[in-house]
Amino acid sequence: MHTKPHQGIISRIDQGNLPDNERRELLLAASGIVGGAGLLATAYPFVASLAPSERARALGGPVEADVSDLAVGELRTVAWRGKPVWLMRRSADMVRALQQPAPELADPLSVRSEQPPTCVNATRSIRAELFVAVGICTHLGCSPTLRLNDGSLNAELHAPGGFVCPCHGSRFDLAGRVVKNVPAPTNLEIPPYRFEGASRLQIG
Ligand code: FES
């Protein structure tokens, strides 16, 4: 049977016929080994307790999200590199509205805005029904609010909804495209992401 180091030392101490100085050294060695093992035993559960996504977040790496239960019109926020990333499921009516010509928008084709190449299209997304965007206004960094029942906003965007920034009134459509003549200079940022299955995606 394998004997742990501190067990061997303790059995020598227990023999009882050791000189005092040797006995004192062995006691110190035993307490050091047991103390080190205690430290490891305390630290290991802490490290192990971090979920993989929390470890990834701590490192600024990709994060995963499951949108299987995301309802139409629902907006969910996940953290990625310290930024709020929105996930929103759009209805067929919302998608149709985004695909119409939009003279009220400042950058409808997103040529001056930040998004991955896979999202340079009218819905600024990989799958038209799922909107993924960094929820930070491109003016001074406030967080815009989703408005689905705002009559004047819907009339301006010719769409069933959009986003309004409460700080200085910038407005965005449901693809994060900014309206002309508001303080925000560009569309909302779209982060890099990809689908890992029917309803799981990796952001970053
Ligand atoms: S921070 Fe959004 S309009 Fe100024």
Side-chain angles (χ1 to χ4, degrees):
M1 192 175 68
H2 178 70
T3 304
K4 293 176 181 172
H6 71 276
Q7 288 173 329
I9 292 173
I10 288 168
S11 73
R12 285 178 62 198
I13 294 169
D14 284 344
Q15 286 169 5
N17 56 354
L18 295 170
D20 280 347
N21 58 343
E22 193 175 337
R23 186 180 172 81
R24 191 166 51 245
E25 281 173 17
L26 287 171
L27 279 167
L28 284 172
S31 67
I33 290 169
V34 173
L39 203 64
L40 281 175
T42 306
Y44 178 74
F46 171 73
V47 174
S49 73
L50 290 177
S53 59
E54 288 173 321
R55 276 183 236 136
R57 231 172 261 147
L59 296 171
V63 294
E64 292 197 346
D66 184 344
V67 293
S68 56
D69 60 346
L70 191 65
V72 169
E74 180 184 348
L75 185 141
R76 187 174 296 163
T77 303
V78 298
W80 172 67
R81 292 189 179 174
K83 300 176 184 178
V85 172
W86 291 340
L87 307 169
M88 181 190 168
R89 192 175 300 285
R90 294 180 287 215
S91 66
D93 279 352
M94 293 171 180
V95 171
R96 252 192 308 277
L98 293 174
Q99 291 168 335
Q100 302 307 309
E104 69 279 6
L105 301 179
D107 186 16
L109 303 178
S110 299
V111 294
R112 292 186 287 103
S113 302
E114 195 175 335
Q115 62 277 308
T118 47
C119 297
V120 184
N121 50 50
T123 59
R124 304 185 76 221
S125 59
I126 297 173
R127 293 183 188 168
E129 74 277 12
L130 188 73
F131 178 47
V132 181
V134 175
I136 298 176
C137 180
T138 52
H139 180 218
L140 294 176
C142 291
S143 184
T145 305
L146 174 64
R147 298 264 184 89
L148 296 181
N149 298 306
D150 181 323
S152 64
L153 180 67
N154 290 1
E156 180 178 42
L157 294 170
H158 309 292
F163 300 92
V164 176
C165 183
C167 295
H168 314 96
S170 290
R171 299 177 297 286
F172 305 85
D173 72 2
L174 290 172
R177 295 179 298 180
V178 68
V179 168
K180 282 178 181 168
N181 303 318
V182 299
T186 57
N187 299 339
L188 298 180
E189 175 191 349
I190 308 293
Y193 69 95
R194 62 190 168 97
F195 282 89
E196 300 269 282
S199 55
R200 287 196 71 79
L201 64 158
Q202 180 177 289
I203 301 158

